[in-house]
Amino acid sequence: MPSDQTPKNELRFLDVSVETIIESARVIKAGGLVAFPTETVYGLGGDATNDAAVAAIFETKGRPTFNPLIVHTLDAGQAALIAEFDARAQQLATQFWPGPLTMVLKRRADSPLSLLVSAGLDTVAVRVPDHPVASRLLFEAGVPLAAPSANKSGTISPTAALHVATHFRDGDGLDILLDGGSCTMGIESTIVDLSTDDAVLLRPGAIAREAIEAVIGPLADPTDDGIKAPGMLKSHYAPSIPLRINVTPEERLKGEAYLTFGPDAPKRAALNLSIKGDLKEAAANLFAMLYALDQPGIRGIAVMKIPAEGLGLAINDRLERAAAPRDETPPKDRP
Ligand code: AMP
Ligand code: MG
């Protein structure tokens, strides 16, 4: 498994064939990352059930926050193993899958998905791509793939393999780039949130709003309170017990659980995000450990200082939101 300690990998830029797709699936099952074509844009794919692979996606993209990622499945049947489909979702799946429609649905309680892929939310964004290479890769991998666009955060989405190559010339965590030609649509999927009673159009995209409304009726627009950027919805992010950050061993209160980081951390009554001080490992463990410590009878969670570099920025962003006062509405002016 690649980590901060291992030397940078070399990117393998491969033409599509049955053999290279099977090799890509092998790399994905081993926790690696593969860029692959879909009908919308190139995706940066990893095993959506593997926390470490999902953490590697965030690191490779250089994302400063943990935005939830879109999970790609082979078909509606595989999607139904990870998310709950109500009548609206079933109708839309029948009408538009495979295709560029992403639905935000409730995660199934028994979903094998990584918690990080939903950034700690109880929902998941799923879609079934309509592209022979993406479909074959999903079939061979046998797991759902978390796949945001295969570019560095904040840059234009890649619609050809060469675009992807410019972002990851030196690998940078990307193991294989499958060249499957240009994406036919070239714009991102439409995202509809069906996790509440009112369906919300979160992102306009390749499928027209009217086409969706013709199937399930009017779509609402996202409100200002942060649905567009779920990372800002504090209620979704905070554990039920209080959380304090940057707490030294001396400052820790009696009855508080201690979430630590690094080799020098105290070992008693603590969960360590990464004993070797690896931020990617810490990101992979973050949500699972917060859930584990969020127990009745525990006074609160004290978190040790996490270095503010690399994936530490996203970890700190997440922890700051969880530590913010609970009773106020989320600030709208956060980055
Ligand atoms: P990208 O993967 O870069 O195409 O972006 C994915 C988009 O889907 C982002 O705007 C996310 O905020 C949104 N998204 C993914 N999962 C969820 C979710 N569970 N709830 C709301 N929005 C989501
Ligand atoms: Mg993107």
Side-chain angles (χ1 to χ4, degrees):
M1 182 96 8
S3 80
D4 290 348
Q5 277 80 44
T6 51
K8 281 250 158 76
N9 61 310
E10 218 164 277
L11 175 62
R12 294 154 71 195
F13 194 158
L14 306 177
D15 285 335
V16 165
S17 68
V18 174
E19 289 72 30
T20 57
I21 293 178
I22 289 174
E23 169 63 5
S24 299
R26 190 192 63 75
V27 164
I28 281 170
K29 283 185 277 190
L33 303 185
V34 173
F36 63 95
T38 76
E39 78 277 30
T40 59
V41 301
Y42 270 73
L44 179 61
D47 179 352
T49 67
N50 178 337
D51 279 323
V54 176
I57 292 176
F58 284 108
E59 180 173 63
T60 298
K61 274 192 71 85
R63 277 204 172 160
T65 53
F66 291 133
N67 291 331
L69 303 178
I70 295 176
V71 175
H72 295 65
T73 64
L74 178 60
D75 52 24
Q78 192 183 31
L81 298 175
I82 57 176
E84 286 174 13
F85 281 70
D86 62 11
R88 300 170 302 176
Q90 264 163 24
Q91 284 173 305
L92 290 178
T94 307
Q95 188 78 20
F96 296 110
W97 282 358
L101 174 71
T102 299
M103 295 194 269
V104 174
L105 304 172
K106 288 241 163 65
R107 284 170 68 109
R108 276 178 63 134
D110 59 356
S111 164
L113 288 181
S114 150
L115 290 171
L116 187 57
V117 91
S118 299
L121 302 176
D122 57 5
T123 55
V124 58
V126 275
R127 91 170 184 99
V128 176
D130 184 15
H131 192 287
V133 176
S135 301
R136 184 67 188 257
L137 181 62
L138 281 158
F139 175 78
E140 299 294 344
V143 287
L145 297 181
S149 50
N151 55 328
K152 294 282 182 185
S153 185
T155 65
I156 300 167
S157 292
T159 56
L162 273 175
H163 302 160
V164 181
T166 60
H167 290 283
F168 306 102
R169 218 175 271 282
D170 303 316
D172 252 354
L174 179 62
D175 298 294
I176 293 180
L177 165 54
L178 272 180
D179 186 352
S182 294
C183 303
T184 46
M185 302 230 169
I187 56 169
E188 279 104 341
S189 60
T190 304
I191 306 182
V192 177
D193 185 353
L194 297 172
S195 65
T196 55
D197 287 343
D198 290 323
V200 179
L201 180 68
L202 289 185
R203 176 174 80 185
I207 291 181
R209 173 184 201 134
E210 296 73 29
I212 297 165
E213 291 183 329
V215 180
I216 59 163
L219 295 173
D221 291 310
T223 49
D224 271 355
D225 67 4
I227 290 178
K228 231 191 236 164
M232 295 183 185
L233 280 182
K234 274 192 264 149
S235 59
H236 277 147
Y237 274 73
S240 62
I241 58 178
L243 183 139
R244 301 191 303 134
I245 53 179
N246 301 326
V247 179
T248 65
E250 297 72 39
E251 289 164 350
R252 187 182 148 207
L253 304 174
K254 201 158 179 273
E256 253 181 344
Y258 202 22
L259 186 58
T260 62
F261 175 83
D264 305 325
K267 298 197 173 39
R268 288 191 52 218
L271 281 181
N272 195 319
L273 286 164
S274 171
I275 292 172
K276 53 182 187 202
D278 178 349
L279 287 165
K280 201 191 311 185
E281 183 179 41
N285 284 331
L286 179 65
F287 290 104
M289 289 190 175
L290 286 177
Y291 274 100
L293 294 177
D294 189 10
Q295 302 293 340
I298 294 184
R299 173 177 182 182
I301 302 173
V303 188
M304 212 172 143
K305 195 175 175 70
I306 313 288
E309 63 197 33
L311 276 184
L313 296 174
I315 295 172
N316 278 303
D317 170 83
R318 163 68 180 82
L319 289 172
E320 279 160 24
R321 294 175 197 283
R326 303 285 164 81
D327 49 359
E328 61 179 49
T329 48
K332 293 186 181 123
D333 54 355
R334 293 228 188 156

